[in-house]
Amino acid sequence: MKKDVYIFKSGELRRKDNSLVFEGEEKRTYIPVEAVERLHVFGKVSMNTDFLEIVSKHKIIINFYNYHGFYIGSFAPRETKISGYLTIKQAEKYLDPDERRYLATSFVEGAIFNMKRNIRKKESNSQFLQEVEDLEGQIYRVQTIPNLMGIEGQIRNIYYTALSYLIKNEEFDFEKRTKRPPLDPVNALISFGNSMIYTTALAEIYKTNLNPTISYLHEPSEKRYSLILDVTEIFKPLIVDSLILKLINGKILTLKDFDIEDNFTYLNENGKKKFITYYEEKLNSTIKHRKLNRKVSYRGLIRLEYYKLIKHIIDDQTYKPLKPWW
């Protein structure tokens, strides 16, 4: 079974016959190429065209992260599954104001459902739940995408306030969401987790015929795969935020797992390893899908979301965002 491989040290990645080798300061590690699904590079790593040729041949995506652990870009094999027909249909949905608004609203609807699911974990959070629901009704009445995103932003601010009341570990203090830079450990976890869910969703979209640059909630951009940003709105509260609460409240992570430099808080290597261990465990855990009547992993749910979107785009079945029933 193929798996994700994480490189935290600095060194060189190279090809050795038909396998991969990581040469670090401390040791040499052989990586069977047939066993790799994705490579995640957190250290300063060099590689050459021979190495890129073999990973491309085996359709391995390489995700790169900066010193603080935040995603900066990917090397992906030449696209082989992009469908011209589907790309045209995606563009048609984007250019149709009603269709674009419907899909954008659906992504927000799914995100709100999962945010409310987390808020309900504490009974005394009923006030925040009511505030969210008061705003939620407005998402179906707005006429523009910026207004929709404005309402979603207000709801997310309420949600993050509610999230602070779900933290039971006195070591961790969380007042508000700060991104550039994250000012405290909880914000560092949210930013790191959002980077990880983005790369996970990136890998899954490459298994479909979708064009990742044509999106509906986020404006299409030359600099990023904006359709992934649309879909991950649904999964950030479901996967990332619930995992953060588990790691903090279960005291799996401590303040020793973070470093602070010039008001920039980030996970250190030990903290990243802990997070990724539990993140992979979460992605690989399964639920019984009530429609497919079989077990599906959380990673598989992301891919299923793309397939549902494809059915909508080709006018086969109306898209409905994932709303957990378990």
Side-chain angles (χ1 to χ4, degrees), residues 6-12 22-27 41-45 269 273:
Y6 295 85
I7 307 292
F8 293 97
K9 302 294 185 181
S10 296
E12 179 187 12
F22 174 67
E23 190 91 41
E25 293 181 359
E26 300 174 358
K27 62 178 181 178
V41 178
F42 290 89
K44 292 183 179 179
V45 173
E269 183 178 327
K273 287 180 177 178

Side-chain angles (χ1 to χ4, degrees), residues 7-16 19-31 39 41 43-52 62 64:
I7 307 292
F8 293 97
K9 302 294 185 181
S10 296
E12 179 187 12
L13 275 167
R14 57 186 174 84
R15 177 178 184 171
K16 175 66 174 176
S19 192
L20 311 177
V21 177
F22 174 67
E23 190 91 41
E25 293 181 359
E26 300 174 358
K27 62 178 181 178
R28 177 184 301 170
T29 304
Y30 288 89
I31 308 168
L39 279 168
V41 178
K44 292 183 179 179
V45 173
S46 62
M47 56 194 73
N48 59 26
T49 53
D50 282 344
F51 174 81
L52 295 177
I62 310 174
F64 298 94

Side-chain angles (χ1 to χ4, degrees), residues 46-279:
S46 62
M47 56 194 73
N48 59 26
T49 53
D50 282 344
F51 174 81
L52 295 177
E53 180 183 10
I54 190 172
V55 297
S56 183
K57 178 181 177 182
H58 288 269
K59 295 180 172 53
I60 297 170
I61 295 174
I62 310 174
N63 296 312
F64 298 94
Y65 305 82
N66 66 15
Y67 174 72
H68 298 106
F70 302 137
Y71 174 76
I72 55 175
S74 298
F75 168 83
R78 182 171 58 88
E79 295 171 348
T80 57
K81 288 193 173 185
I82 289 293
S83 161
Y85 168 75
L86 188 59
T87 296
I88 291 170
K89 296 294 286 184
Q90 277 184 253
E92 287 176 351
K93 297 295 184 189
Y94 170 80
L95 293 170
D96 184 320
D98 292 335
E99 283 286 353
R100 184 186 178 189
R101 187 165 55 248
Y102 174 79
L103 286 171
T105 301
S106 295
F107 295 132
V108 173
E109 179 184 324
I112 293 171
F113 184 92
N114 288 309
M115 285 189 272
K116 287 163 60 177
R117 190 169 180 262
N118 284 339
I119 292 173
R120 289 191 183 98
K121 291 179 180 179
K122 189 178 180 67
E123 289 184 10
S124 58
N125 271 352
S126 57
Q127 174 191 344
F128 301 118
L129 187 63
Q130 186 61 55
E131 290 177 13
V132 168
E133 290 178 341
D134 288 344
L135 284 168
E136 184 179 8
Q138 297 181 32
I139 69 172
Y140 305 103
R141 298 192 294 270
V142 296
Q143 296 300 309
T144 68
I145 303 301
N147 285 344
L148 174 63
M149 295 190 75
I151 294 169
E152 189 270 344
Q154 293 179 60
I155 289 173
R156 197 166 288 277
N157 286 336
I158 297 168
Y159 168 68
Y160 282 130
T161 301
L163 205 64
S164 68
Y165 286 89
L166 293 170
I167 296 173
K168 302 173 184 177
N169 187 336
E170 294 181 356
E171 273 194 306
F172 290 83
D173 185 37
F174 178 58
E175 294 183 2
K176 64 178 181 178
R177 179 74 174 112
T178 56
K179 299 178 183 179
R180 300 181 183 87
L183 297 178
D184 56 68
V186 178
N187 273 293
L189 282 169
I190 294 171
S191 294
F192 184 74
N194 288 348
S195 288
M196 298 308 301
I197 198 71
Y198 179 89
T199 58
T200 299
L202 171 66
E204 295 307 310
I205 204 169
Y206 267 102
K207 298 173 184 176
T208 76
N209 299 118
L210 284 165
N211 187 318
T213 66
I214 302 175
S215 53
Y216 305 96
L217 177 61
H218 296 83
E219 199 64 40
S221 168
E222 295 179 358
K223 298 180 180 180
R224 59 184 181 178
Y225 289 157
S226 46
L227 183 57
I228 297 171
L229 297 176
D230 285 359
V231 172
T232 53
E233 291 295 329
I234 298 169
F235 291 94
K236 286 189 289 187
L238 178 63
I239 295 176
V240 175
D241 298 343
S242 61
L243 177 59
I244 289 171
L245 291 172
K246 175 180 178 178
L247 295 175
I248 292 176
N249 292 338
K251 298 187 177 180
I252 297 165
L253 285 172
T254 70
L255 295 184
K256 293 180 180 179
D257 294 310
F258 299 85
D259 289 336
I260 301 175
E261 292 181 4
D262 299 323
N263 289 325
F264 197 125
T265 305
Y266 60 94
L267 281 160
N268 55 34
E269 183 178 327
N270 192 56
K272 292 188 189 82
K273 287 180 177 178
K274 283 185 183 180
F275 186 98
I276 288 168
T277 296
Y278 284 89
Y279 178 72

